[in-house]
Amino acid sequence: MAVISYREALRAAMREELKRDDKVVIMGEEVAQFNGAYKVTEGLLKEFGPKRIVDTPISEAGFIGLGIGASMLGIRPVMELMFWSFSYVAFDQIVNNAGNIRYMSGGLINCPIVIRGPANGGTNVGATHSHTPEAILASHPGIKVVCPATPYDAKGLMKAAIRDNDPVYVMENTILYNDKGEVPDEDYIVPLGVADVKRLGTDLTIVAHGRAVITSLKAAEILEKEHGVSVEVVDLRSIRPLDEETILASVRKTHRALLVEENKPFCGVDAQVAYLIQSKAFDELDAPIHRVSSIDAPQIYCKRMEDLQMPNVERVVAEALKVLA
Amino acid sequence: MAKPAVLTHPESLKRPAGPSEYAKDPVNASMSKAEKIALYTKMARIRHFEQRCIRIYQQGKIGGFLHLYVGQEAVAAGTISLLGKNDHIITGYRDHGHGLMVGMGMNECMAELTGRVTGCSQGKGGSMHYFAPDKNYWGGHGIVGGQAPLGTGLAYAVKYLGLKGSCLAYMGDGAVNQGAVHEAYNLASLWDLPVIFVVENNGYSMGTSQERSTAHPGCLAKRAEGYNMAWDVINGHDVYEVRAKTAIALKRAHEESKPTVLEIFTYRYFGHSMADPDKTYRDKEEIKEYREKKDPVLAFEQELLSEKVLTPELSLKINEAAMAEADKAAIFADESPDPTVADITKHIYWEEDNRGPKTTSRGTIIFE
Ligand SMILES: Cc1ncc(C[n+]2csc(CCOP(=O)(O)OP(=O)(O)O)c2C)c(N)n1
Ligand SMILES: [Mg+2]
């Protein structure tokens, strides 16, 4: 087991898959010569050369569409978006083309593409650069979405995504890029659609994904120490497919649920999770389900306010106490 | 309104249909008699298939949109007749002609239109979404211009795999104003990709004539110069000319791995789709004039008659056979079953359709 950063874990996943399969190509803005806008792809050009690691112009609809077309012929492109916020200029390619082609062709064509990049707020860059489109994208059948929170999951999910024969959109987080964690030396994948109980507890289930998992784990510690409450934290890891069983098993144990995510509340991922719990575990609940999401407004620039707009430890603790009251 | 919209290019005006000056071009002169007859047969089959579609649509059996290719046959016929094993094609929603040209059967094409499980996409795609990847045909795309980056990607893949091939990415004259098309042009030229963008200029994007939609330097293809790309213009009623000039672009793709924009002047006889009553934006006279002077199927028939490749008797036989084939396809589509409710949730994910110990996905992926 080596202790490496989330960024290094992603890079290691790509490096190993580049070595394993010569159809894997890394493509995106500044991924090669510049070594990556966030240095996730650092060193890959040197190691694999310009055929495998390809700089693109600022042309998301063009190069993502190109990757989709190439994937139909068996190439396995791993496309970097500098931010997932920029996916919106390529929405037609990402949704209509990648997401529908298998269906509309009656299963004749598949599209093994990975699109990856950071999708998070909290970086003081304003509304245009702070989108978290996992719910928007996961609402389209044909598309898969994963949101790793730790280096272990980042590597395992990225490798699974690259080997997957469907379009998989990996939402990373710039704030997590330097987080460190243990990652096995040997080859492994984290299958899509398997949640992870990141902390065991008995009194309350917190369901979270992405960086909200880290926030929730910190809140769980405070709840334990200061309030004597035992909190279980379920990390979804994958939004679509969704591990419904792990969520339900935890709720059946604790009988209370708090859902935490960085999305805005309207039609967020947790709207679906709340529906799931009430439809399949209604009788298990001892209290209404609560949610902590970002405050419902475009992302504010002011750093002090942005920290309050997003789910933070204090808000999660306060809301948890309401569910437990 | 009376302005002849198709004839935007001065060359096109000068040359009414007549004996093709491209008959002697090597790609045409080298065709055997049988090959010429086969090409004519394919054009006739496209024509009769679609004319049969009109009746089925009017009977209410084809839903949604039905965009006919009648009048444009020589474009698909000429270009696709040149393609080899590693040449691919992709187009927009006016996609029946291309499908029949690559060798799709009338049965699967007709059954797709009526939403049957025996359709090429099992009734999941419809008129705008034909696919036959086994014949290098990658669709059939409903979003104007959205297929241009995909076609560029297919060409990228051909090059990446070290194959001598190409991709022909077709679009309409209205599509050239889409950002995705410009992005595709740039990438194709920047990365020397063997893609040929074929602009099928039929003069109109829905009810908007080309003059009302597009600022251009004399013709649409010339925009290629802004991307340092080769281009050419072609009279699309003359299948020999289409072949002769496409062959040059194809050679450029195969030998130099360079892209080309080809603008092919053509015309559609029916409304934009069957939903378009075709009353507001062009004169009936304009349609009549083109049909009489430049019908691509008749022009090629004339050509082959004068070459003594075709006889009136043989032509009649070919056309009757095509009509009979279309009739049979209509019956096949009628008698075929619908997909089932269970079929609705198939073919969404490869991993889901092939779930096993080796697939990477678990959990719920189709929701209630
Ligand atoms: C992005 C998008 N906008 C609008 C439409 C609706 N639409 C479908 S075809 C069409 C006209 C396109 O004309 P052209 O590119 O010239 O192709 P043609 O129909 O003449 O073959 C329009 C407006 C669409 N399908 N996609
Ligand atoms: Mg048009």
Side-chain angles (χ1 to χ4, degrees):
Chain A
M1 283 275 201
V3 174
I4 61 172
S5 70
Y6 185 100
R7 171 188 287 109
E8 288 164 337
L10 290 166
R11 186 187 308 142
M14 286 189 270
R15 177 186 293 122
E16 289 173 20
E17 294 305 300
L18 279 158
K19 277 195 185 143
R20 191 186 57 79
D21 183 349
D22 62 12
K23 302 275 169 45
V24 174
V25 180
I26 310 287
M27 225 183 247
E29 292 158 22
E30 313 293 357
V31 295
Q33 275 198 29
F34 193 78
N35 273 322
Y38 286 100
K39 305 291 171 240
V40 175
T41 54
E42 187 163 34
L44 295 181
L45 173 64
K46 205 165 159 213
E47 191 174 346
F48 294 96
K51 186 178 177 192
R52 312 287 303 282
I53 316 295
V54 185
D55 276 328
T56 67
I58 307 159
S59 186
E60 285 81 1
F63 75 76
I64 299 248
L66 180 149
I68 295 165
S71 80
M72 301 184 328
L73 256 189
I75 308 298
R76 304 188 79 93
V78 180
M79 319 292 292
E80 175 169 309
L81 282 168
M82 201 177 280
F83 287 88
W84 266 100
S85 290
F86 306 157
S87 69
Y88 295 10
V89 304
F91 203 68
D92 178 47
Q93 298 299 327
I94 288 173
V95 173
N96 256 330
N97 285 345
N100 288 340
I101 195 123
R102 179 172 170 78
Y103 196 72
M104 292 195 309
S105 66
L108 295 177
I109 299 174
N110 54 309
C111 178
I113 194 171
V114 173
I115 307 178
R116 52 156 291 269
N120 58 283
T123 50
N124 197 200
V125 289
T128 55
H129 285 55
S130 303
H131 290 291
T132 50
E134 67 267 25
I136 300 173
L137 290 170
S139 73
H140 295 88
I143 286 170
K144 297 176 177 178
V145 183
V146 297
C147 300
T150 65
Y152 178 91
D153 292 340
K155 184 171 177 190
L157 285 169
M158 182 61 73
K159 285 170 72 92
I162 296 172
R163 295 180 195 182
D164 198 283
N165 287 312
D166 297 309
V168 184
Y169 301 160
V170 183
M171 314 249 161
E172 303 162 7
N173 190 310
T174 53
I175 297 172
L176 300 179
Y177 276 147
N178 288 329
D179 277 16
K180 292 217 151 94
E182 284 196 339
V183 171
D185 299 318
E186 63 277 7
D187 183 43
Y188 73 100
I189 65 161
V190 172
L192 276 53
V194 181
D196 184 38
V197 179
K198 286 269 188 307
R199 179 190 171 103
L200 283 165
T202 52
D203 302 332
L204 169 71
T205 296
I206 295 183
V207 180
H209 66 273
R211 182 167 160 246
V213 172
I214 310 300
T215 309
S216 299
L217 286 169
K218 287 180 190 152
E221 230 160 83
I222 292 172
L223 285 161
E224 171 112 60
K225 275 203 197 110
E226 296 177 13
H227 303 276
V229 184
S230 167
V231 178
E232 181 145 307
V233 177
V234 175
D235 175 3
L236 294 177
R237 298 201 288 199
S238 169
I239 309 304
R240 187 179 188 127
L242 184 68
D243 183 352
E244 299 190 329
E245 260 326 297
T246 300
I247 300 168
L248 294 170
S250 180
V251 171
R252 284 188 200 110
K253 184 166 87 175
T254 65
H255 307 291
R256 290 169 199 272
L258 172 65
L259 315 179
V260 184
E261 70 179 319
E262 204 182 300
N263 278 307
K264 309 303 187 295
F266 191 84
C267 293
V269 170
D270 288 342
Q272 178 70 25
V273 174
Y275 168 76
L276 165 74
I277 295 171
Q278 72 78 35
S279 80
K280 296 201 176 149
F282 185 74
D283 292 335
E284 298 283 351
L285 287 173
D286 286 344
I289 301 164
H290 282 227
R291 292 174 68 189
V292 176
S293 326
S294 284
I295 292 173
D296 200 14
Q299 201 79 0
I300 193 166
Y301 165 71
C302 169
K303 177 76 177 120
R304 275 85 56 201
M305 289 307 110
E306 190 186 19
D307 288 345
L308 298 181
Q309 182 175 16
M310 294 175 54
N312 53 41
V313 175
E314 294 71 32
R315 282 180 61 204
V316 175
V317 169
E319 206 63 29
L321 293 174
K322 284 190 207 159
V323 186
L324 290 157
Chain B
M1 189 162 89
K3 218 166 150 195
V6 206
L7 312 174
T8 46
H9 196 263
E11 285 307 305
S12 182
L13 269 172
K14 277 187 227 148
R15 239 176 51 77
S20 173
E21 41 183 282
Y22 292 88
K24 297 229 155 52
D25 187 280
V27 287
N28 298 320
S30 65
M31 285 175 93
S32 70
K33 229 172 142 171
E35 283 168 338
K36 288 180 178 179
I37 292 171
L39 182 57
Y40 173 73
T41 304
K42 284 181 184 165
M43 290 173 70
R45 284 176 70 246
I46 298 172
R47 174 71 53 100
H48 291 299
F49 174 81
E50 292 217 302
Q51 284 179 338
R52 192 71 182 77
C53 290
I54 297 174
R55 272 163 59 199
I56 301 174
Y57 182 91
Q58 284 163 345
Q59 290 165 352
K61 292 178 186 167
I62 298 176
F65 296 121
L66 177 66
H67 306 89
L68 298 175
Y69 200 59
V70 181
Q72 301 188 203
E73 293 90 343
V75 179
T79 49
I80 294 170
S81 64
L82 295 165
L83 304 185
K85 180 163 123 262
N86 294 315
D87 297 310
H88 297 261
I89 70 162
I90 190 164
T91 186
Y93 43 83
R94 203 176 293 286
D95 58 352
H96 309 163
H98 307 76
L100 292 175
M101 265 313 291
V102 299
M104 292 172 76
M106 280 197 196
N107 281 1
E108 55 178 317
C109 287
M110 195 65 90
E112 188 60 33
L113 298 181
T114 58
R116 304 302 190 181
V117 74
T118 52
C120 56
S121 300
Q122 303 194 25
K124 292 183 163 180
S127 161
M128 302 189 285
H129 308 116
Y130 277 15
F131 296 91
D134 60 323
K135 299 178 175 65
N136 291 1
Y137 184 26
W138 301 91
H141 292 264
I143 301 297
V144 170
Q147 74 280 12
L150 300 188
T152 310
L154 288 161
Y156 170 89
V158 165
K159 185 175 181 183
Y160 186 92
L161 297 170
L163 302 168
K164 191 177 195 173
S166 70
C167 181
L168 271 60
Y170 298 80
M171 68 188 95
D173 48 293
V176 301
N177 297 319
Q178 282 285 22
V181 171
H182 286 265
E183 295 191 28
Y185 279 9
N186 181 54
L187 286 166
S189 183
L190 187 70
W191 292 353
D192 289 332
L193 300 178
V195 56
I196 301 170
F197 298 104
V198 181
V199 181
E200 299 195 45
N201 186 352
N202 59 14
Y204 296 91
S205 46
M206 250 174 108
T208 306
S209 67
Q210 192 208 288
E211 307 81 284
R212 294 203 299 124
S213 70
T214 307
H216 59 78
C219 67
L220 306 180
K222 202 168 179 212
R223 282 186 176 180
E225 286 180 9
Y227 297 97
N228 195 26
M229 236 189 312
W231 60 276
D232 206 347
V233 288
I234 303 175
N235 291 295
H237 64 274
D238 178 354
V239 72
Y240 278 159
E241 180 171 343
V242 174
R243 279 172 53 87
K245 291 187 173 173
T246 304
I248 297 168
L250 209 52
K251 190 158 177 239
R252 185 177 294 123
H254 289 172
E255 309 292 333
E256 304 167 51
S257 190
K258 294 254 194 220
T260 306
V261 177
L262 295 178
E263 177 179 4
I264 308 191
F265 303 117
T266 182
Y267 199 66
R268 63 166 158 78
Y269 296 171
F270 294 95
H272 165 70
S273 73
M274 288 300 288
D276 165 19
D278 198 4
K279 288 201 171 119
T280 51
Y281 57 91
R282 60 177 181 179
D283 292 336
K284 292 277 168 267
E285 266 311 299
E286 183 185 296
I287 307 172
K288 195 163 156 261
E289 195 180 323
Y290 193 94
R291 274 193 107 133
E292 280 170 5
K293 289 195 181 142
K294 295 193 166 182
D295 184 87
V297 183
L298 292 180
F300 194 44
E301 183 185 41
Q302 283 305 317
E303 190 77 40
L304 295 186
L305 287 169
S306 66
E307 287 181 28
K308 309 240 180 309
V309 168
L310 208 56
T311 60
E313 297 73 39
L314 181 55
S315 173
L316 188 67
K317 238 174 94 185
I318 288 169
N319 282 279
E320 280 175 352
M323 277 187 260
E325 190 186 357
D327 283 341
K328 267 183 143 164
I331 295 166
F332 173 82
D334 258 349
E335 291 177 348
S336 289
D338 281 344
T340 63
V341 172
D343 288 334
I344 296 175
T345 48
K346 283 185 200 141
H347 307 128
I348 303 173
Y349 297 97
W350 186 95
E351 301 282 339
E352 186 66 13
D353 293 337
N354 296 279
R355 253 198 209 203
K358 287 222 170 111
T359 52
T360 62
S361 276
R362 316 272 183 273
T364 305
I365 196 147
I366 309 296
F367 291 83
E368 283 167 14

mmCIF file of all heavy atoms in Angstrom, chain A residues 6 35-36 68 72 107 117 139 169 182 211 223 242 294 305-306:
data_model
loop_
_atom_site.group_PDB
_atom_site.id
_atom_site.type_symbol
_atom_site.label_atom_id
_atom_site.label_comp_id
_atom_site.label_asym_id
_atom_site.label_seq_id
_atom_site.Cartn_x
_atom_site.Cartn_y
_atom_site.Cartn_z
ATOM 1 N N TYR A 6 -4.969 12.056 -4.411
ATOM 2 C CA TYR A 6 -6.115 11.841 -5.315
ATOM 3 C C TYR A 6 -5.678 12.102 -6.756
ATOM 4 O O TYR A 6 -5.994 11.344 -7.670
ATOM 5 C CB TYR A 6 -7.189 12.808 -4.859
ATOM 6 C CG TYR A 6 -8.552 12.797 -5.497
ATOM 7 C CD1 TYR A 6 -9.621 12.164 -4.865
ATOM 8 C CD2 TYR A 6 -8.816 13.523 -6.664
ATOM 9 C CE1 TYR A 6 -10.907 12.236 -5.403
ATOM 10 C CE2 TYR A 6 -10.083 13.596 -7.203
ATOM 11 C CZ TYR A 6 -11.140 12.946 -6.569
ATOM 12 O OH TYR A 6 -12.401 13.034 -7.096
ATOM 13 N N ASN A 35 1.199 19.676 -19.278
ATOM 14 C CA ASN A 35 1.125 18.695 -18.184
ATOM 15 C C ASN A 35 -0.192 18.709 -17.419
ATOM 16 O O ASN A 35 -0.267 18.210 -16.298
ATOM 17 C CB ASN A 35 2.280 18.885 -17.201
ATOM 18 C CG ASN A 35 3.524 18.107 -17.641
ATOM 19 O OD1 ASN A 35 3.397 17.001 -18.149
ATOM 20 N ND2 ASN A 35 4.683 18.683 -17.455
ATOM 21 N N GLY A 36 -1.212 19.301 -18.046
ATOM 22 C CA GLY A 36 -2.528 19.288 -17.395
ATOM 23 C C GLY A 36 -2.789 20.581 -16.648
ATOM 24 O O GLY A 36 -1.928 21.062 -15.914
ATOM 25 N N ILE A 68 -16.117 10.748 -29.249
ATOM 26 C CA ILE A 68 -17.277 9.856 -29.314
ATOM 27 C C ILE A 68 -17.244 9.072 -30.629
ATOM 28 O O ILE A 68 -17.414 7.854 -30.651
ATOM 29 C CB ILE A 68 -18.589 10.650 -29.167
ATOM 30 C CG1 ILE A 68 -18.670 11.277 -27.771
ATOM 31 C CG2 ILE A 68 -19.806 9.748 -29.409
ATOM 32 C CD1 ILE A 68 -19.728 12.370 -27.637
ATOM 33 N N MET A 72 -16.675 4.866 -31.251
ATOM 34 C CA MET A 72 -17.577 3.969 -31.976
ATOM 35 C C MET A 72 -16.784 2.965 -32.815
ATOM 36 O O MET A 72 -17.253 1.881 -33.124
ATOM 37 C CB MET A 72 -18.541 4.764 -32.864
ATOM 38 C CG MET A 72 -19.386 5.749 -32.058
ATOM 39 S SD MET A 72 -20.681 6.700 -32.926
ATOM 40 C CE MET A 72 -20.097 6.970 -34.559
ATOM 41 N N GLY A 107 -28.666 -1.233 -30.263
ATOM 42 C CA GLY A 107 -27.562 -1.997 -29.684
ATOM 43 C C GLY A 107 -26.442 -2.329 -30.650
ATOM 44 O O GLY A 107 -25.528 -3.074 -30.316
ATOM 45 N N GLY A 117 -12.925 15.228 -15.314
ATOM 46 C CA GLY A 117 -12.471 16.565 -14.970
ATOM 47 C C GLY A 117 -13.155 16.976 -13.681
ATOM 48 O O GLY A 117 -14.025 16.274 -13.168
ATOM 49 N N SER A 139 -29.424 11.915 -15.100
ATOM 50 C CA SER A 139 -30.854 11.776 -15.400
ATOM 51 C C SER A 139 -31.089 11.284 -16.826
ATOM 52 O O SER A 139 -32.237 11.104 -17.225
ATOM 53 C CB SER A 139 -31.582 13.100 -15.163
ATOM 54 O OG SER A 139 -31.258 14.017 -16.175
ATOM 55 N N TYR A 169 -18.864 9.232 -17.139
ATOM 56 C CA TYR A 169 -18.434 10.592 -16.851
ATOM 57 C C TYR A 169 -17.939 10.651 -15.407
ATOM 58 O O TYR A 169 -18.688 10.383 -14.460
ATOM 59 C CB TYR A 169 -19.598 11.557 -17.095
ATOM 60 C CG TYR A 169 -20.100 11.500 -18.542
ATOM 61 C CD1 TYR A 169 -21.368 11.961 -18.896
ATOM 62 C CD2 TYR A 169 -19.303 10.957 -19.561
ATOM 63 C CE1 TYR A 169 -21.822 11.897 -20.215
ATOM 64 C CE2 TYR A 169 -19.744 10.886 -20.868
ATOM 65 C CZ TYR A 169 -21.006 11.355 -21.197
ATOM 66 O OH TYR A 169 -21.446 11.284 -22.496
ATOM 67 N N GLU A 182 -4.422 5.768 1.179
ATOM 68 C CA GLU A 182 -3.767 4.499 0.841
ATOM 69 C C GLU A 182 -4.368 3.917 -0.427
ATOM 70 O O GLU A 182 -5.587 3.868 -0.593
ATOM 71 C CB GLU A 182 -3.945 3.500 1.986
ATOM 72 C CG GLU A 182 -3.033 3.796 3.161
ATOM 73 C CD GLU A 182 -2.928 2.606 4.117
ATOM 74 O OE1 GLU A 182 -3.833 1.753 4.085
ATOM 75 O OE2 GLU A 182 -1.943 2.567 4.867
ATOM 76 N N ARG A 211 -17.055 15.379 -2.566
ATOM 77 C CA ARG A 211 -16.425 15.993 -1.402
ATOM 78 C C ARG A 211 -17.367 16.059 -0.208
ATOM 79 O O ARG A 211 -16.919 16.136 0.945
ATOM 80 C CB ARG A 211 -15.944 17.405 -1.780
ATOM 81 C CG ARG A 211 -15.239 18.106 -0.634
ATOM 82 C CD ARG A 211 -14.508 19.362 -1.117
ATOM 83 N NE ARG A 211 -14.249 20.255 0.014
ATOM 84 C CZ ARG A 211 -14.794 21.447 0.168
ATOM 85 N NH1 ARG A 211 -15.638 21.925 -0.745
ATOM 86 N NH2 ARG A 211 -14.517 22.177 1.226
ATOM 87 N N LEU A 223 -20.264 14.805 15.770
ATOM 88 C CA LEU A 223 -21.530 14.299 16.330
ATOM 89 C C LEU A 223 -21.253 13.208 17.368
ATOM 90 O O LEU A 223 -21.911 13.114 18.396
ATOM 91 C CB LEU A 223 -22.417 13.761 15.201
ATOM 92 C CG LEU A 223 -23.088 14.850 14.351
ATOM 93 C CD1 LEU A 223 -23.546 14.298 13.008
ATOM 94 C CD2 LEU A 223 -24.285 15.469 15.098
ATOM 95 N N LEU A 242 -26.636 3.210 -9.436
ATOM 96 C CA LEU A 242 -26.770 3.590 -8.033
ATOM 97 C C LEU A 242 -26.909 2.322 -7.187
ATOM 98 O O LEU A 242 -27.692 1.439 -7.523
ATOM 99 C CB LEU A 242 -28.013 4.469 -7.876
ATOM 100 C CG LEU A 242 -28.273 5.061 -6.492
ATOM 101 C CD1 LEU A 242 -27.203 6.098 -6.141
ATOM 102 C CD2 LEU A 242 -29.655 5.717 -6.445
ATOM 103 N N SER A 294 -26.306 22.723 -1.445
ATOM 104 C CA SER A 294 -25.849 24.114 -1.536
ATOM 105 C C SER A 294 -27.068 25.033 -1.498
ATOM 106 O O SER A 294 -28.149 24.656 -1.965
ATOM 107 C CB SER A 294 -25.070 24.348 -2.826
ATOM 108 O OG SER A 294 -23.779 23.799 -2.713
ATOM 109 N N MET A 305 -18.811 33.793 1.797
ATOM 110 C CA MET A 305 -20.197 33.372 1.590
ATOM 111 C C MET A 305 -20.274 32.026 0.864
ATOM 112 O O MET A 305 -21.154 31.222 1.126
ATOM 113 C CB MET A 305 -20.967 34.435 0.784
ATOM 114 C CG MET A 305 -21.249 35.713 1.541
ATOM 115 S SD MET A 305 -22.062 35.399 3.134
ATOM 116 C CE MET A 305 -20.738 35.827 4.260
ATOM 117 N N GLU A 306 -19.348 31.786 -0.060
ATOM 118 C CA GLU A 306 -19.387 30.504 -0.783
ATOM 119 C C GLU A 306 -19.221 29.341 0.203
ATOM 120 O O GLU A 306 -19.876 28.298 0.077
ATOM 121 C CB GLU A 306 -18.304 30.445 -1.865
ATOM 122 C CG GLU A 306 -18.490 29.225 -2.777
ATOM 123 C CD GLU A 306 -17.381 29.019 -3.796
ATOM 124 O OE1 GLU A 306 -16.278 29.576 -3.613
ATOM 125 O OE2 GLU A 306 -17.626 28.281 -4.766
#
